[in-house]
Amino acid sequence: SQFNTQRAEWCTCFWVENFSVDDLQFNVAEGNADVSNDALHIVGGRNITVSNIRGGCDDDFIAIGYNYNLPIDGVVVNNIACQTNSNEVKAYQIRAGITSGYGAPTQEVKNVTVTNVSGRVAAVRTGLFDVLIDGHTQYNLVKNITFSGVDVAYAGTHDEANTIGIDVAGGNNIYFDNISIIGSPVRSMFSGANCTNLRIHNFNPAQPSKASAEAIELDTCDNVSIIGGKLTPTSNATGASSIKCTDVTNISVDNAFMTEIQDGYAGLIFLNTCTGKMTNCTVQKKVGATTAKGFSIASGATVASLVISGNDFSDTNVPIDVAPTPTAYIAVGNLGADASGATSVANGGTIAHDT
């Protein structure tokens, strides 16, 4: 079936159970000022299947949850082709109601799986893929959300100066796997805040261009896993780190490739209070850099425990920069030597059995 231009959402599901949507195409004239609506919006329900959806719109292509604070439990979305050059399109938005005019959200949005996504989507301020809860401080209302097999490209220029690739603000057990984003993004490619049990595996985003934009930026998160992927920070001359963690505990970064690190920045940096480990990663400086780092602890940060093991820092200027030295600290088997053949560690940090 096909749905053509109109002023309301094409298909809004207010409350449904045991409901399926299959083989639909949504059409909208690109740049139509009269249309700023979603293609498919699920407001509440359970046991919902959405498959084989294609086309475009001028707002969220797939939205799950809304202001009405209704519960959602069990949504499977598969085989989506979002093809648009319109000026405000998010491929997906998942949220547990907003506070403005509706009171604090109380209902859960949970058990949502999204797989096999392709196409072009417009650049938007709050992300191509959103997992949101208003206030950004509650972990327990948006939970068990999975995005897997996503291959999309930027198109359009809506609010391009503030574009984020993926925005996750508040959530528990959020999983991203095999995500590829190409095009011309601006801000950080992944922004995560106030999350617990966050997994980012095989993430391959385009290089952002705004000043100080990281590939992954995390704030106030616990139990984070980053595995694989190519993570490139901004091309802007001001520089940034590939992964920046502020008040992030129990983070594990493994087998990631971090490149184009500029002077004074690192593949992975800890700020404020953090704990975690970095293993089997490769970090490469930008050509001409003289102070690019493999791993860094920002001045004044507190790190109770840290493991740095099996990484290749040989193409950095300062492999490990720790200040002050963490309370429990292991650094072993990391490649990286200065001109004299000795491992380079800044600010009094110590390395045991490093090569």
Side-chain angles (χ1 to χ4, degrees):
S1 299
Q2 294 192 27
F3 290 80
N4 296 310
T5 301
Q6 61 185 53
R7 295 186 65 90
E9 275 84 352
W10 308 143
C11 181
T12 297
C13 306
F14 281 95
W15 175 265
V16 289
E17 295 187 28
N18 305 315
F19 180 80
S20 64
V21 179
D22 181 62
D23 191 20
L24 293 182
Q25 178 169 332
F26 298 96
N27 299 320
V28 61
E30 294 177 3
N32 188 338
D34 290 333
V35 180
S36 181
N37 297 289
D38 305 338
L40 178 64
H41 197 142
I42 299 169
V43 177
R46 63 183 181 182
N47 299 329
I48 301 167
T49 301
V50 177
S51 56
N52 302 310
I53 308 296
R54 59 201 178 278
C57 68
D58 267 357
D59 204 344
D60 306 334
F61 194 61
I62 305 288
I64 301 171
Y66 193 54
N67 305 354
Y68 304 126
N69 195 28
L70 296 174
I72 294 175
D73 185 1
V75 179
V76 176
V77 180
N78 180 54
N79 197 20
I80 306 300
C82 182
Q83 299 170 331
T84 180
N85 283 321
S86 300
N87 56 343
E88 186 179 357
V89 174
K90 289 184 284 288
Y92 296 93
Q93 181 179 62
I94 298 173
R95 60 186 179 185
I98 64 173
T99 59
S100 179
Y102 293 89
T106 59
Q107 299 295 323
E108 292 181 338
V109 174
K110 62 184 180 180
N111 301 323
V112 177
T113 300
V114 178
T115 58
N116 299 325
V117 182
S118 65
R120 303 167 312 187
V121 281
V124 295
R125 177 173 54 201
T126 53
L128 301 179
F129 307 93
D130 287 352
V131 179
L132 304 174
I133 181 168
D134 191 64
H136 301 178
T137 57
Q138 301 182 58
Y139 299 160
N140 61 340
L141 291 181
V142 177
K143 61 178 64 174
N144 305 333
I145 310 296
T146 296
F147 287 88
S148 178
V150 175
D151 187 359
V152 295
Y154 276 97
T157 58
H158 174 74
D159 204 2
E160 189 169 344
N162 291 299
T163 300
I164 301 173
I166 297 175
D167 187 18
V168 181
N172 181 11
N173 196 23
I174 312 297
Y175 180 31
F176 288 86
D177 184 32
N178 287 310
I179 310 295
S180 175
I181 303 174
I182 64 173
S184 301
V186 178
R187 283 181 61 184
S188 299
M189 291 307 305
F190 190 108
S191 177
N194 297 293
C195 298
T196 186
N197 302 318
L198 174 64
R199 292 176 291 170
I200 309 167
H201 295 175
N202 305 306
F203 181 44
N204 293 284
Q207 184 178 24
S209 59
K210 192 172 184 177
S212 304
E214 294 82 15
I216 298 177
E217 179 182 8
L218 302 173
D219 189 347
T220 316
C221 296
D222 179 55
N223 196 20
V224 178
S225 170
I226 299 173
I227 298 178
K230 181 180 180 181
L231 305 173
T232 308
T234 183
S235 58
N236 189 283
T238 60
S241 296
S242 286
I243 304 173
K244 182 174 77 172
C245 297
T246 304
D247 294 317
V248 176
T249 53
N250 301 311
I251 183 172
S252 173
V253 182
D254 182 65
N255 200 35
F257 177 51
M258 310 173 199
T259 187
E260 296 293 308
I261 307 301
Q262 299 187 48
D263 283 334
Y265 294 96
L268 172 63
I269 186 169
F270 281 0
L271 292 83
N272 292 0
T273 302
C274 295
T275 61
K277 60 182 180 179
M278 181 182 187
T279 57
N280 307 310
C281 295
T282 298
V283 182
Q284 295 179 347
K285 67 183 179 182
K286 186 173 183 177
V287 173
T290 58
T291 59
K293 306 171 185 180
F295 172 84
S296 179
I297 297 177
S299 178
T302 301
V303 178
S305 63
L306 173 65
V307 175
I308 306 294
S309 175
N311 301 286
D312 186 351
F313 297 142
S314 57
D315 193 23
T316 64
N317 306 109
V318 182
I320 302 176
D321 180 354
V322 288
T325 302
T327 304
Y329 178 34
I330 298 174
V332 59
N334 300 293
L335 297 176
D338 63 17
S340 66
T343 300
S344 174
V345 181
N347 297 326
T350 59
I351 285 187
H353 310 297
D354 218 345
T355 59

